[in-house]
Amino acid sequence: MKSLSSTSVSRRQAIRLGLGSVAAAGVVALAGCTDTSNDSTASNSSSSSASSTSTDSTASTQIDKDAFDSLLAAGDVADDATVSASAWAQKIKDAGKFRLGGVQTSTLFASLDETDNKLRGFDAGLAQLLVRYILGDESKYEFTKVTSDTRESVLQNDQVDAVFATYSITDKRKEVISFAGPYYSTQQGILVLADNSDINSVDDLAGKTVAAQSGSTGPSILAEYAPTATVQEFTTDEEARTALEQGRVDAYVIDATMQMSSIVKNPGKYRLAGDSFGPEDPYGIGLQLDSDGVTFVNTWLKKIEDEGTWAKLWKICIGDRTGIDKVPEPPAIGA
């Protein structure tokens, strides 16, 4: 284990990330064992100083597999009447499998463990709980890998039944697909190398070269909040971070929760530069346009939130791995 003495998160960042209760000093540092797999995914005011340093680092980046698997195995199963009331859910049940679109390399949200070939993380857990709810078995899904550029097309082409991929709800996307949720909310975060002392807020991006993911909300938000920055778009998170490490860009902007994944996964390499910024970025579950699955999934989401399953999953996948005790309030469903 090694301490992330150069990596910390301000109190306001922690609140925005759902990282709730932080130390009295107003920062929380992360620690962990190095994870060698790669991320590839696709969250109010600016701070004038860099994140503070803390040596109180005790969290592990490794997910508690037993706790995760046990939570899924205890998930509710819908009765026949509940499923048959939705054409979307009944189609899945008749097929005997759930066609799931998602990612496999997002540290906190959906990561494939090659030792047992299981997908774990916050998005992955929600998806498999929904699979179990409809089919009675969380393993009955067929996985299709998506990127920020293909999430709409796999739904439009009926290749998947739903997309769970830290999928930001936007008006433009709602013209071609529908969203259930939101089930999580974030803002934009600025990732820089740990030894970068020049960028400490969104204001410091002026005149800088900044990476963003194509197909994400990052480029349009940067156009508004850092109009003089030169934006370079990359297809994947890994490509953007490689450009940052090679000095081809000065910073990388994407959802702060995704930046947190990179920090947890790569101790000592990066830091978050100042506070999160931009509009609240709600994550939704992508469905085909006008699908009656929206009502079905929203009802199920409300159920797992009310029963405490959402909070338990967040703690296993995010809270316990970042040393944060306070579970955030999920956003209002249908908002």
Side-chain angles (χ1 to χ4, degrees):
M1 305 289 288
K2 56 183 175 180
S3 173
L4 299 189
S5 58
S6 62
T7 302
S8 59
V9 185
S10 72
R11 180 174 181 84
R12 185 177 298 170
Q13 283 174 308
I15 293 170
R16 289 296 186 184
L17 286 167
L19 303 181
S21 178
V22 295
V27 297
V28 57
L30 311 174
C33 305
T34 301
D35 183 346
T36 57
S37 60
N38 292 317
D39 282 354
S40 61
T41 64
S43 104
N44 275 336
S45 62
S46 306
S47 172
S48 59
S49 61
S51 298
S52 303
T53 297
S54 170
T55 57
D56 182 19
S57 304
T58 58
S60 169
T61 64
Q62 303 303 313
I63 193 168
D64 185 334
K65 297 180 185 180
D66 291 340
F68 181 90
D69 296 347
S70 295
L71 184 65
L72 264 57
D76 288 338
V77 178
D79 58 33
D80 290 342
T82 299
V83 173
S84 64
S86 165
W88 174 83
Q90 188 63 54
K91 178 183 175 183
I92 294 169
K93 189 165 186 177
D94 290 343
K97 65 180 179 181
F98 190 113
R99 300 173 303 160
L100 172 63
V103 300
Q104 296 180 321
T105 52
S106 176
T107 303
L108 298 179
F109 283 82
S111 181
L112 180 66
D113 186 334
E114 295 183 354
T115 66
D116 58 13
N117 204 38
K118 289 187 177 181
L119 194 63
R120 296 184 178 91
F122 191 70
D123 275 3
L126 286 174
Q128 290 170 72
L129 283 167
L130 180 57
V131 173
R132 178 178 177 82
Y133 189 63
I134 297 171
L135 294 171
D137 183 341
E138 61 274 16
S139 69
K140 289 186 175 181
Y141 66 91
E142 176 184 271
F143 186 83
T144 296
K145 183 178 178 180
V146 302
T147 69
S148 55
D149 290 323
T150 64
R151 291 177 294 195
E152 284 88 54
S153 63
V154 294
L155 288 165
Q156 291 174 300
N157 297 332
D158 194 27
Q159 293 174 256
V160 300
D161 297 308
V163 170
F164 286 75
T166 57
Y167 201 175
S168 300
I169 300 173
T170 68
D171 289 338
K172 183 177 180 180
R173 289 171 180 163
K174 287 193 291 185
E175 293 175 2
V176 294
I177 67 164
S178 292
F179 283 101
Y183 64 89
Y184 203 86
S185 183
T186 183
Q187 288 178 285
Q188 298 293 297
I190 305 167
L191 193 73
V192 297
L193 296 180
D195 61 359
N196 181 317
S197 59
D198 295 331
I199 299 175
N200 299 303
S201 73
V202 65
D203 294 339
D204 294 332
L205 297 180
K208 299 292 196 298
T209 301
V210 183
Q213 250 187 313
S214 60
S216 76
T217 54
S220 62
I221 293 174
L222 280 167
E224 179 179 354
Y225 286 83
T228 65
T230 299
V231 179
Q232 289 189 16
E233 296 187 24
F234 297 87
T235 302
T236 68
D237 177 81
E238 182 184 359
E239 291 172 354
R241 286 189 292 107
T242 297
L244 179 62
E245 291 164 19
Q246 294 176 345
R248 292 184 284 128
V249 298
D250 302 301
Y252 171 33
V253 168
I254 200 170
D255 297 357
T257 46
M258 306 315 298
Q259 307 288 37
M260 184 61 67
S261 289
S262 297
I263 290 173
V264 168
K265 193 173 186 179
N266 301 278
K269 183 179 286 188
Y270 311 114
R271 70 177 177 87
L272 280 172
D275 290 334
S276 303
F277 70 95
E280 291 288 342
D281 191 1
Y283 291 167
I285 299 162
L287 300 165
Q288 288 187 350
L289 187 64
D290 298 328
S291 169
D292 75 340
V294 171
T295 299
F296 182 91
V297 176
N298 280 345
T299 301
W300 165 79
L301 273 176
K302 181 69 163 55
K303 177 180 174 66
I304 66 168
E305 288 177 6
D306 291 346
E307 293 175 349
T309 304
W310 186 98
K312 291 175 183 177
L313 184 66
W314 182 91
K315 192 172 190 308
I316 292 168
C317 298
I318 300 176
D320 288 348
R321 301 167 74 189
T322 55
I324 307 302
D325 295 325
K326 184 178 175 62
V327 179
E329 285 291 327
I333 295 170

